[in-house]
Amino acid sequence: MFENLTTAHLADACLRAGVPVRCASLPPVVAGWRAAGRALPCVHVGSVDVFLEAYESAGPGDVLVVDNGGRRDEACVGDLAVLEARAAGLSGVVIWGLHRDTADVRAIGLPVFSLGALPTGPQRLDPRPPDGGLVRATVGDFALTRDDAVLADDDGVVVVPADRADELTTLAAAIRDTERQQADLVRSGTTLRDQLRFTDYLARRRAEPDLTFRAHLRAIGGAIEE
């Protein structure tokens, strides 16, 4: 899923398709790590059993998405939870919260994305949500379910509806290819300003002060996010 695409490509594809952009700044524990797959949501309430229960229903390549409310006073995922996630066939773990056991997590090799690390684990045990905590997870200001797909890389995490993943993949690939062509032209001596006829835009803007750069790009067929 989302092969050879970045989260930036996928976010731009969402803009082009009119899909709400759901993304969060959750960096990988190891630079270069990447995870992609169907979302496997869970709400952490202080005990590891919610992860083990989630793994019982995991499919190959799923991405565990842990909702710990963005808490920074405890780590909610450690090496054993990550090791078990790998054994369950998951492609990664995304944590709206903190992790620990960083050295062991690196050694395990399963991509983990979080807000950071902290030595202490949970010192609480809260009631589970009425739905059991395995139906829905919140990351930042958005929610996700099993009906969503996840892509995570060095830039963070993007979540999209799973039933639109193919459409968005096609759009994202087109955006990627256009940007690569533009970059190749810059490297060969044709500046991005020349490619986008920036001098023409400045001239038109003097005559039409309300002209936006996006409108100019649209007119010359260069608005790749539309």
Side-chain angles (χ1 to χ4, degrees):
M1 183 178 289
F2 307 129
E3 187 174 358
N4 298 320
L5 298 174
T6 68
T7 52
H9 298 140
L10 188 58
D12 285 349
C14 288
L15 288 174
R16 180 182 286 187
V19 174
V21 180
R22 290 179 288 168
C23 63
S25 179
L26 290 168
V29 173
V30 175
W33 269 355
R34 181 182 185 279
R38 185 177 288 271
L40 181 66
C42 68
V43 177
H44 181 258
V45 295
S47 176
V48 71
D49 62 293
V50 69
F51 305 144
L52 303 181
E53 189 172 347
Y55 300 155
E56 287 287 299
S57 61
D62 284 354
V63 177
L64 181 70
V65 181
V66 180
D67 175 3
N68 202 33
R71 294 178 66 133
R72 294 182 179 270
D73 61 342
E74 65 179 29
C76 63
V77 173
D79 60 331
L80 287 177
V82 176
L83 193 60
E84 189 73 6
R86 189 179 70 176
L90 275 66
S91 68
V93 178
V94 170
I95 311 162
W96 184 237
L98 304 178
H99 73 277
R100 65 176 181 173
D101 304 320
T102 300
D104 291 321
V105 168
R106 288 188 184 122
I108 292 166
L110 185 76
V112 174
F113 302 77
S114 81
L115 291 169
L118 192 74
T120 185
Q123 302 178 50
R124 63 184 175 98
L125 184 58
D126 299 333
R128 278 209 188 186
D131 62 12
L134 296 171
V135 175
R136 176 186 180 94
T138 297
V139 173
D141 59 359
F142 64 84
L144 58 86
T145 70
R146 287 287 279 165
D147 294 328
D148 290 307
V150 177
L151 175 61
D153 62 16
D154 286 315
D155 286 338
V157 177
V158 174
V159 176
V160 301
D163 62 1
R164 300 193 68 175
D166 289 345
E167 169 196 358
L168 293 170
T169 293
T170 300
L171 289 172
I175 291 169
R176 176 202 62 203
D177 293 346
T178 297
E179 289 182 344
R180 287 179 177 175
Q181 291 168 6
Q182 290 173 331
D184 287 342
L185 285 170
V186 172
R187 293 186 186 98
S188 65
T190 303
T191 69
L192 186 61
R193 285 165 294 158
D194 286 342
Q195 294 176 53
L196 301 181
R197 294 162 52 182
F198 194 68
T199 300
D200 293 346
Y201 163 67
L202 293 178
R204 283 191 60 197
R205 195 180 65 184
R206 283 190 289 271
E208 305 171 48
D210 293 334
L211 178 69
T212 65
F213 189 51
R214 180 163 294 180
H216 166 73
L217 291 178
R218 191 180 300 121
I220 66 170
I224 62 173
E225 77 278 15
E226 295 183 347

